[in-house]
Amino acid sequence: MKIHKYDTVIVGAGGAGMRAAIESTKRSRTAVLTKLYPTRSHTGAAQGGMAAALANVEEDNWEWHTFDTIKGGDYLVDQDAAEILAKEAIDAVLDLEKMGLPFNRTPDGAIDQRRFGGHSRNHGEAPVRRSCYAADRTGHMILQTLYQNCVKEGVEFFNEFYVLDQLLTEVDGVKVSAGVVAYELATGEIHVFQAKAVIYASGGTGKFFKVTSNAHTLTGDGQAACYRRGLPLEDMEFFQFHPTGIWRMGILLTEGARGEGGILRNKDGERFMEKYAPVMKDLASRDVVSRSIYTEIREGRGCGPEGDHVYLDLTHLPPEQLDAKLPDITEFARTYLGIEPYTDPIPIQPTAHYAMGGIPTNVQGEVLADNTTVVPGLYAAGEVACVSVHGANRLGTNSLLDINVFGRRSGIAAAEYAAKHDYVELPEDPASLVEAQVERLRNSTGKERVATLRLELQECMDANVMVFRTEQTIKTAVAKIAELRERYLNVSVQDKGKRFNTDLLEAIELGNLLDLAEVMATSALARKESRGGHYREDYPNRDDVNFMRHTMAYREVGDDGTESIRLDYKPVVQTRYQPMERKY
Amino acid sequence: MATPTMDKLEALEADSASSHLIAVTFRIRRFNPEVSADASWEDFRIDIDPKERVLDALHKIKWDVDGTLTFRRSCAHGICGSDAMRINGRNRLACKTLIKDIVSFDKSGAVSKPVTIEAIKGLTVLKDLIVDMDPFFQAYRDVMPFLVTTGNEPTRERLQSAEDRERFDDTTKCILCAACTSSCPVFWNDGQYFGPAAIVNAHRFIFDSRDEAGEQRLEILNDKDGVWRCRTTFNCTDACPRGIEVTKAIQEVKRALITRRF
């Protein structure tokens, strides 16, 4: 075991982690721990753009953006946080441009903007051009630009280091962050990083679904590390299903395709979104569009021999426009489906995309131990966190924005905290939990296989807690997850070595997915209403009287060692916007 | 919607719905110094849908047959750059290569040859398909891959015409997968050569109208291990999974060095 000491440790090198690192490296001695190489992170898969009311191409202002974000989140958004997001969006985009990001340009050389789902002029009047973009590879450009600037600032990276435990030390009755424990992929060695401040920026947890736009590596490691140490997870029942994933594969096809004029059609060629969202049509919020697609499919208007998908039609758009604005997604259709988007519509279905919930933080990125108490020295930003700017449903282009605004904020806040505080003592035997976990898996002779359990989990989640949910389906999921957690105790790995043991790491990642799936299903069961991405067929309406509140899920361990989940609730911060019925 | 093509689409969808499996042998170059100092080939015969990716085949082997098979991957659709490898002797991303595009069939309809998979060349193999990426990223860092400007920053964005933006568009696509650099015979023979990927990333800034460090980057690439080592074999261009015209970019850097115009 090796011990390292840094002022600030950042877990994850996607957009949020690297944006934080650029700030914290200027202010404190910083280490970035990432389970991949920095430019491998899934920020790079984001396509359509980053929202900011620059008003470069038409009238816009941040107040409209704030409103759209709150409405898009079905009023579960903390309104003070949404206001910060929309206000700071403008500088966040300009900062990236100054760092070198090659945005698409208007004829007069300013940053170009395009339409995106849920973003509107004057509180829902009509779609507005708010998304700043670089073709359909905005996330790629953000990830590259941030990495380039990390190189420029001399940010110190520990590549292929998996953070598996969050260390907390009690000081005067308060839990304080003491550092993290990491597993080095190349050697199998365990490292303890003692740090004054820790920032989680380790991304989402979409891999508990089968049809997903998420990378294989998005296994909720940060959420699980904090949750297992008794910290809460907020709003985990809210998961976004992006309307346009490639049929069966789940690969993302940007909403920017509809922003550029693409149309969703059923098997009769009908533009069905006109029925469900007369004003915004194909550019309604993602939860609305995904439900509409599945309604079409359920009512027998789906396409293909099994009627299990619909079409994204780009055939009426000029090929030059597709080449200039949507080159990557048209290539995906050619590569993976053998389809020519100039002439053929693309078969799509909703794909599990984004966790609105996560580690609860305040607007400085400080992690909460309960509804109000901050964990000193602990921060989170990006998809791993829940500020909550996305509420019950995130608007497209608000996640690339979130990682920049709150990545920057947490980087500054963590470094400033580190400058004012000393190290707290590490807990006794700090690596013990990780060592025990690794040894148990390495030495297990159990008969269960990781791949089998993971597939059963994914199929169960797709079938039971996806776009439509009922008490019965969620209960089915809860029971199945409990069974899988039991069987997980008998998982063994074939690779017993120390060197690049990805077999072992996949087993650990599965443990994280199982923990988080249980939290998600349990939170969903208790929320007896429909709001944003959480749709209960048995409770089809939003219930502001009983459920205008955030879910807070805690892991409890009984005296006999049995684990359970305790649910609590946290009020939503409302400033100037009263909840209204959501129409697009 | 363009109706004439619907027949083709229906055929595709019918085909997808009734996936048929074919038996394919994957001949994989294995190496694990914890087990043996020598590398060796190992065959795995699996049934797989030809529309699946080589990465899916590797996962099938790892998950169902041999958990010790080791490779890097993440996004699985050609964006993250983790899974560059040599497939049938050519550098490709495993997640962007479909089985049907790399197998050939004999008269009986069976797959005629094994698919060979090995680590990319020119970088030290650490285990199976995993190589040491540090020298690759070091060369990248050495070309100053970041925007350099002087003077006060403008209040708003810097303006850039669409034409100026287009000038370096191709080289912004790079995902640092190393497929190009590890396909370059010069790089195989001399690891000191910066390699195509680093030059591509220098190009991305040299030809960015906002940047002011073009001269410095050109001097770095004027080095004995710089662009002049390129022998224009076009391997890099063929290997690039993003379709970047890598050799052309290198040529443009060479020309800029001679003319000092960029």
Side-chain angles (χ1 to χ4, degrees), chain A residues 21 25 54 72 126 130 134 289 294 322 375 391 412 421 424 433 454 467 502 505 523 540 557:
Chain A
T25 295
L54 297 184
R130 186 177 290 148
V289 179
Y294 270 123
L322 296 184
V375 183
I412 295 170
H421 293 80
V424 296
L433 188 95
R454 186 175 46 214
V467 172
T502 53
L505 268 309
S523 303
V557 183

Side-chain angles (χ1 to χ4, degrees), chain A residues 473-583:
Chain A
T473 65
I474 301 170
K475 279 186 168 164
T476 304
V478 169
K480 180 70 184 177
I481 295 163
E483 176 212 311
L484 291 169
R485 281 168 56 87
E486 197 62 37
R487 287 164 60 191
Y488 180 71
L489 299 174
N490 289 314
V491 146
S492 64
V493 296
Q494 287 177 298
D495 194 338
K496 311 288 185 190
K498 296 249 178 195
R499 193 178 178 88
F500 289 96
N501 191 339
T502 53
D503 201 24
L504 178 76
L505 268 309
E506 282 191 40
I508 290 172
E509 289 170 337
L510 173 62
N512 294 341
L513 289 176
L514 285 167
D515 283 355
L516 298 175
E518 186 184 37
V519 175
M520 181 189 196
T522 306
S523 303
L525 188 60
R527 186 172 284 276
K528 295 177 175 168
E529 66 155 353
S530 290
R531 183 187 296 271
H534 172 72
Y535 190 83
R536 290 277 304 253
E537 290 183 88
D538 42 355
Y539 301 94
N541 298 314
R542 197 174 77 198
D543 177 358
D544 288 341
V545 176
N546 294 302
F547 289 103
M548 176 60 89
R549 55 186 191 177
H550 299 291
T551 306
M552 299 284 274
Y554 297 81
R555 176 176 179 262
E556 304 260 291
V557 183
D559 294 336
D560 58 351
T562 51
E563 292 177 32
S564 60
I565 295 171
R566 176 173 65 85
L567 295 183
D568 194 4
Y569 293 91
K570 188 174 83 162
V572 175
V573 178
Q574 290 185 22
T575 54
R576 65 170 103 170
Y577 301 98
Q578 285 306 306
M580 293 186 297
E581 192 192 346
R582 208 163 57 125
K583 283 184 184 156

Side-chain angles (χ1 to χ4, degrees), chain B residues 37-87:
Chain B
D38 300 316
S40 61
W41 293 97
E42 186 171 358
D43 284 3
F44 297 92
R45 191 170 173 81
I46 58 167
D47 293 327
I48 190 159
D49 184 333
K51 289 184 302 300
E52 289 195 82
R53 299 159 271 202
V54 170
L55 179 62
D56 297 317
L58 291 173
H59 274 145
K60 272 196 167 70
I61 295 167
K62 183 176 181 68
W63 293 343
D64 300 341
V65 184
D66 183 352
T68 69
L69 180 66
T70 304
F71 49 91
R72 292 190 175 110
R73 89 300 186 241
S74 187
C75 80
H77 65 285
I79 290 299
C80 77
S82 299
D83 63 350
M85 50 190 75
R86 259 169 100 74
I87 299 169

Side-chain angles (χ1 to χ4, degrees), chain A residues 40 56 97-98 100 105 111 140 148 152 160 217 309 331 336-337 344 449 494-495 499 506, chain B residues 5 12-13 62-63 67 72 74 80 95-96 126-127 145 147 154 156-158 172 174 204 210:
Chain A
R40 311 303 183 216
N56 277 2
E97 196 284 327
K98 287 166 193 171
R105 299 288 172 158
I111 295 168
H140 164 77
Q148 290 155 3
K152 191 175 185 178
E160 301 189 317
T217 42
H309 57 276
E331 194 201 311
Y336 295 110
L337 292 168
D344 299 326
R449 299 289 304 263
Q494 287 177 298
D495 194 338
R499 193 178 178 88
E506 282 191 40
Chain B
T5 61
L12 175 131
E13 286 169 314
K62 183 176 181 68
W63 293 343
R72 292 190 175 110
S74 187
C80 77
C95 62
K96 235 184 151 176
L126 301 174
K127 183 178 176 184
L147 190 75
R156 293 282 294 198
E157 68 263 48
R158 289 191 169 77
T172 64
C174 176
R204 178 250 170 276
R210 299 169 296 174

Side-chain angles (χ1 to χ4, degrees), chain A residues 89-251:
Chain A
I90 295 162
D91 276 340
V93 166
L94 297 178
D95 283 350
L96 285 171
E97 196 284 327
K98 287 166 193 171
M99 286 186 208
L101 197 139
F103 284 106
N104 276 45
R105 299 288 172 158
T106 63
D108 56 5
I111 295 168
D112 198 13
Q113 300 188 268
R114 67 177 164 205
R115 291 175 177 176
F116 234 80
H119 291 280
S120 74
R121 175 161 56 86
N122 195 16
H123 314 96
E125 259 178 28
V128 74
R129 291 172 65 180
R130 186 177 290 148
S131 164
C132 310
Y133 67 101
D136 56 353
R137 50 179 85 105
T138 315
H140 164 77
M141 298 298 194
I142 288 177
L143 192 66
Q144 295 293 328
T145 300
L146 292 176
Y147 183 57
Q148 290 155 3
N149 281 270
C150 284
V151 171
K152 191 175 185 178
E153 298 292 338
V155 172
E156 189 175 351
F157 288 97
F158 288 80
N159 298 327
E160 301 189 317
F161 274 60
Y162 286 63
V163 169
L164 302 182
D165 194 17
Q166 166 61 37
L167 298 175
L168 296 170
T169 300
E170 227 171 88
V171 180
D172 303 330
V174 179
K175 279 193 244 178
V176 181
S177 174
V180 299
V181 184
Y183 175 99
E184 184 181 4
L185 182 66
T187 61
E189 192 167 6
I190 311 280
H191 298 255
V192 172
F193 286 81
Q194 190 174 10
K196 296 171 184 171
V198 171
I199 306 172
Y200 279 90
S202 47
T205 179
K207 229 29 204 181
F208 50 38
F209 289 99
K210 187 166 178 231
V211 176
T212 174
S213 64
N214 281 204
H216 286 287
T217 42
L218 285 170
T219 50
D221 309 340
Q223 295 90 323
C226 290
Y227 174 69
R228 274 200 290 269
R229 288 299 184 179
L231 299 178
L233 294 176
E234 180 175 351
D235 289 342
M236 289 294 281
E237 64 271 39
F238 294 101
F239 205 92
Q240 177 165 87
F241 302 92
H242 192 291
T244 54
I246 289 182
W247 176 43
R248 293 196 172 167
M249 300 185 83
I251 295 171

